[in-house]
Amino acid sequence: MPGRARYLVLAGATASAGSSLAAAPLSRILWLLGGLVCAAPMLARMARQRAAIAPAWRLVGAGLAVRLASDLACMIEDLTHQGDVPLPSWDDEVGYLLSYALLAAGLIGAAGGRARTALLDASIVAAGVAIIDWMALVHPFLHHHAIGQLALGHALMYPICDLVLFAAAVRVLFTGAVRNRANLLVLAAVGLLLAANTISFAHAAHGGHRSVALLDNALWLCSYIAFGLAGLHPRLFGERHAEPDEPRGAVSTRRILLFGAATLLGPTATVIRLARAHGALAPGEWRHLVVPAILTGLLSVLLVARLGGLARLAQRRLAELDEHGRRLSVALLERESLEHQLRHGALHDPVTGLANRALLTQRMEWALARPDARHRHALLLLDVDRFTDVNDAHGIGFGDEALIALAYRLRTLAAPGDTLARIGGDEFALFVEHGTGDPAQAREQAEQLAELLRAEVKAPLKVGGRVVHLSCSIGLVHIDGHDPREAMADAELALRAAKRGGRDRVSRYKAELRIAREAFTRISAGLRHAVERGELAVHYQPVVELPSGRVVAVEALLRWTPASGPVPPDEFIPVAEETGLILPIGAWVLERACRDARACRDARAWYERHGTSVTVNVSVRQLAEPGFADEVLAVLECTGLPADALVLEITESVFAGDADALPVALDRLRGHGIRIAIDDFGTGYSSLSYLHQLPVDILKIDRSFVPAEPGGDHSFTLAVLQLGSSRSLPAIAEGIETAEQAELLHALGCRLAQGYHFAKPGPAAQVEAAFARLNPAPAG
């Protein structure tokens, strides 16, 4: 059987025996032994774990020990007087009063010193109970004629002490200062002790002796049993958890009912008193009602104070709620402002304040959702030409100011219903929405607006203290569909066409642009895998000497033959350059041409005798690579081709780039014996001024300047030949189709030429056949 169960059986048996012998002389001894047995766990626990128990609860335990000692003194006195103990009894007086002091001090300490609200609530309940004490205890003692004044004063101290002890216990309960069952058992023991004391003194008040009855003996023993159970609990006198000085919320319903009952005690007791007097009081009896009336008034004052505290608490809570509401209102306003800023920032350009791409797309979707006005909308994409030059010359900050000024100008030309947006660094878009009107008229107005925008951009733009001159390319699309992305893609195609057309112009979208773009996409996709699929080949076209017809060089020409059929070089070469695929493809062509040329040199010893070389075209993208010269030299070393057998052809477009960096790379290649030729001379960027700066060895005259017949104008061809002769640069005429063209060129002083008249481009084996046909076998 567990220890607590054995204790309950033993305590119950002892208490039953002691209570049943209340009328016998031996009952007092058995009763005291029962009290000691019941309280023994508490006293033993306190003796063993004194250091672990809180000081306040140690005082409660000390009060219990003193109480038991006083019971022993009372028993001895009761046996001495044979059950007729006078009141007061001086032998046990000091012990009981000391017990009261220790118990009250311990309970006050257990409640804590800051629980003012709980103290007020306990005072309200104690004031109500004080009225009952007055009627049941104090008032009978005052009318007891067999007791002296000194004894009366001592006798009245016990109800007063009980009342103080009761108020301290109620205060502990109201503060919520206990959180384990052991402490609650201690409070229950104090409550049972107070109940037994009240019954005992009520008997004494009416009989003049401390009568020992069955009920009060049982209550005292139950009190000791509660103390013992607390001593058996594993968390005896656990930590106190005090709540705040003010309650967290409203007063509980049970406490309100308790307050109401306390307020009714005074009037109820007065009514009972009057009823017992049959409505008429004896002379001087009214004075005994003064104390209940005073206690009732005190109770009312305490209730008013409690209600005032609740009112102040409510006011503070209301003020806090008002402050929280004000802060919440401010926070909501700040949040709304922040959301507005975030929405504006998400849909507008931070530099110019114009709409961004997201807002432009949103406006277009709204407008294009109306099918009746779909054919009257237009989209214009505007890109400032070479705006990076402005940033490079004056800085990005100045460039932003220029964009802001330009956006202000463009905004003046946009109608209120139009959407002007900045969708890139120097790229703007204007969505023109025509809700009504003739579609043809709307198209004409959009084209006129595009020209106005172009003219407005070209006008001198004053930014700070500087004047900037700009131009723009504009792509215009008349929207026929309902998808904004398709409209934007069409406008970008038109804008790209305007740039390719020379910039500073308006280009309207045409279906051919989409077809060309689809072809571009198809070609670029095929070129990405052309090398690994073995679809690329290098063909060679001989360069002959006039008029002997000997082959002195071959030009390597790239050919692409996918599964769908051959693609002309003028279609896939520009795509390769624009996509950057020319870099790996160009490297492959260079290596293949050098390997083929080296194999031919080993097979035909007369290649070296006649100085035959191989010419490879190099794109602008390849020359722009920092390691291009190292790549060329590495290919020569890998293939074993001598450097003097390689000619690199460059186009005039390279001079539009970084002309200062070209001589460094070209000089390094020429320093190893590689020669440089300018292809299609005279058709692109004017390179006449660079001929005295750049390391160039050969000029190739474009076929458009080759004379078709003897009677034509040959001045430009003659000028190029004389220019090359003055700088010791041999010239090669391209595109020779007839013998008459060959004879005329030779008459003008041109020594080298190539074209279908001599041989068509073909694989390496075909070139060897051309050598055998055109070059005589060397003697010996």
Side-chain angles (χ1 to χ4, degrees), residues 181-200:
R181 294 181 180 179
N183 297 347
L184 291 176
L185 286 172
V186 172
L187 291 177
V190 173
L192 291 171
L193 179 64
L194 294 178
N197 289 345
T198 301
I199 294 174
S200 177

Side-chain angles (χ1 to χ4, degrees), residues 66-107:
V66 173
R67 177 77 186 190
L68 288 171
S70 299
D71 285 340
L72 177 61
C74 181
M75 181 197 69
I76 295 173
E77 190 174 16
D78 185 56
L79 294 176
T80 303
H81 294 81
Q82 297 181 356
D84 188 12
V85 181
L87 182 66
S89 175
W90 300 103
D91 295 336
D92 61 334
E93 186 76 26
V94 176
Y96 282 122
L97 293 178
L98 179 60
S99 172
Y100 277 120
L102 292 174
L103 289 172
L107 292 176

Side-chain angles (χ1 to χ4, degrees), residues 398-436:
F398 180 85
D400 289 343
E401 294 179 3
L403 290 175
I404 294 172
L406 183 60
Y408 178 79
R409 277 190 178 183
L410 299 178
R411 194 184 287 113
T412 59
L413 296 178
D418 299 342
T419 301
L420 179 64
R422 181 187 178 212
I423 59 176
D426 54 2
E427 189 172 353
F428 297 86
L430 178 60
F431 175 61
V432 182
E433 184 176 353
H434 295 287
T436 60

